[in-house]
Amino acid sequence: MDEPTTWWSDAGLPPAAGQVLEHLVAHPESTPAEIAEALGLPSRGVALALRTLSDELLAVRVSLSPARWSANPPRAAIESLLARRGARLANVRLQAERLHEVYTETVDRRFIGDQFEVLDSPERLNARYEHHLRSAQREVLHLVMPPYVAPTEQLPERMGAQGEAMARGVRFRSVYDSGSFDDELSLRTAREGGSLGGQIRLSNGLPMKLVMFDDVAAIMSLKPDDPAAGSLLVYARPLLRVLRVLFEELWEHGQPWSEAGPVAPPDPDLRPAPDPRMLQVLRFMALGMKDDAIARALGLSRRTVQQTVSDVGALLGARTRFQIALRAQQRGWLDDVPDDPGQVEHRADQFAYLIGG
């Protein structure tokens, strides 16, 4: 759509009316026949366009025989048009509030005021998720762990919606629970999300499942291990701020993940230093991930992971996993991983206290 047509539609004018208005601005006192010939429009279409412009006070008939038309001064006329549009939109908002009150009164007790909505079925949850995903303008944040409410067959549709959102500039950041990659659907979702450009990190012991949209709304599971228990759709800004703080804390301490390899390469000044695969395996070990989960996360075989752990042990002169972790920490190889895995549980306890859990 070219630029002139864009502003006509933005002003709420039909295309023919916009064309006729443009012509009248440059050719005052034109007859309908002259307009039709100049624009290549049918006479009936020109007549309807002139009626629309007259109703919107954008054009006026300046003579009767023959009928000639001119545009009203565009700046004042269009400002008046926008003012009338604004008044109509204000009335639409009032009607939306009225309809929302009726809506909340007829859906049992799923609404708690206008700050929360209980999503008590997978269908309602998926409908709200899709709506907010397609409405997002800046950022979508996820805390991810199985089990999932959405069926596997809906994954392509969700990935398609995510791709559309990213194409319009929406940023996606996800923190997966370190045990999630034992689940095939989690790994598939992470791979496809990462291939679209989403940023992914792993963390140990996520306190909840969560998705936030532009700090405007958030969906949080009532019981992370029981999808049938339902979810809470949050609009309350104080709680949204708390949820944002929780996400950023988990994101900051999460381990970056990418199938392309380690996101943070080892410091070349540390000697001896692990190769990239060793470093990634070490960091996932520090998150408490088992060999099978690490293998899934890195696209390796379980045997390769075990061999890598053995190679790291030989490099450090360590025999047990505890010794490997201790000596790797002493050498600074795990500086971006929390020293105490219990820190995550402590943050979860703090969060539960903040929301009264």
Side-chain angles (χ1 to χ4, degrees):
M1 184 178 293
D2 57 29
E3 190 63 27
T5 305
T6 298
W7 87 260
W8 299 334
S9 58
D10 289 343
L13 294 175
Q19 288 179 276
V20 171
L21 178 60
E22 291 271 3
H23 180 82
L24 289 177
V25 168
H27 303 86
E29 300 191 11
S30 294
T31 66
E34 291 169 344
I35 297 170
E37 182 179 0
L39 299 179
L41 296 174
S43 298
R44 180 175 176 79
V46 171
L48 290 174
L50 288 170
R51 184 182 305 168
T52 298
L53 295 175
S54 177
D55 291 343
E56 295 292 357
L57 307 181
L58 295 171
V60 62
R61 187 167 57 183
V62 294
S63 68
L64 293 176
S65 183
R68 293 187 179 277
W69 291 78
S70 289
N72 285 322
R75 180 183 298 162
I78 292 176
E79 285 293 337
S80 177
L81 170 68
L82 295 179
R84 294 193 300 276
R85 291 277 191 271
R88 293 169 193 165
L89 289 175
N91 181 58
V92 170
R93 291 189 181 94
L94 288 175
Q95 296 306 315
E97 289 299 319
R98 179 184 64 82
L99 292 174
H100 189 73
E101 290 178 5
V102 176
Y103 178 73
T104 57
E105 290 173 359
T106 56
V107 288
D108 302 324
R109 297 183 178 178
R110 290 193 292 111
F111 278 88
I112 308 171
D114 59 354
Q115 303 296 300
F116 304 95
E117 180 184 354
V118 177
L119 305 177
D120 54 3
S121 72
E123 292 77 17
R124 289 192 178 104
L125 173 60
N126 291 326
R128 292 295 186 274
Y129 180 93
E130 181 179 354
H131 166 74
H132 286 291
L133 181 60
R134 295 186 183 279
S135 301
Q137 299 297 317
R138 298 186 307 277
E139 187 170 50
V140 176
L141 311 175
H142 283 94
L143 297 180
V144 188
M145 67 176 81
Y148 301 104
V149 177
T152 304
E153 56 268 21
Q154 285 191 357
L155 181 59
E157 183 178 351
R158 284 200 172 187
M159 289 295 103
Q162 179 173 333
E164 292 173 3
M166 296 185 77
R168 62 177 184 267
V170 179
R171 180 188 184 196
F172 280 74
R173 289 191 289 154
S174 302
V175 180
Y176 280 73
D177 188 86
S178 58
S180 293
F181 286 176
D182 288 331
D183 178 84
E184 184 61 36
L185 182 58
S186 291
L187 183 59
R188 181 182 168 191
T189 302
R191 283 172 171 164
E192 296 196 18
S195 69
L196 291 172
Q199 296 173 271
I200 298 170
R201 294 189 180 185
L202 299 178
S203 184
N204 185 34
L206 293 184
M208 66 191 307
K209 291 192 285 189
L210 172 73
V211 56
M212 292 189 69
F213 308 91
D214 290 340
D215 291 329
V216 171
I219 299 174
M220 51 186 288
S221 296
L222 295 175
K223 291 184 178 180
D225 58 347
D226 182 11
S231 298
L232 190 66
L233 178 56
V234 179
Y235 298 107
R237 293 199 175 276
L239 182 52
L240 289 174
R241 286 193 289 269
V242 173
L243 293 171
R244 161 68 78 161
V245 170
L246 171 69
F247 178 87
E248 295 298 350
E249 176 77 2
L250 292 166
W251 177 263
E252 179 182 353
H253 292 88
Q255 170 61 44
W257 177 82
S258 169
E259 286 198 304
V263 174
D267 188 337
D269 294 332
L270 297 176
R271 295 289 186 267
D275 62 31
R277 178 184 292 172
M278 290 178 178
L279 183 66
Q280 195 76 326
V281 169
L282 270 172
R283 290 174 173 173
F284 286 162
M285 282 176 55
L287 290 174
M289 294 175 66
K290 302 294 178 54
D291 289 347
D292 286 337
I294 295 174
R296 286 174 177 269
L298 298 179
L300 304 173
S301 68
R302 185 172 186 269
R303 182 174 180 180
T304 299
V305 171
Q306 292 175 329
Q307 182 61 52
T308 302
V309 173
S310 177
D311 292 343
V312 173
L315 184 63
L316 294 170
R319 295 184 178 182
T320 67
R321 287 187 172 231
F322 176 78
Q323 290 176 337
I324 290 173
L326 180 62
R327 295 182 185 183
Q329 183 66 54
Q330 290 172 342
R331 296 199 179 209
W333 295 352
L334 301 177
D335 284 347
D336 58 348
V337 178
D339 294 335
D340 178 10
Q343 288 179 9
V344 175
E345 294 182 8
H346 175 65
R347 292 194 297 273
D349 292 340
Q350 287 180 318
F351 171 74
Y353 173 76
L354 285 171
I355 64 173

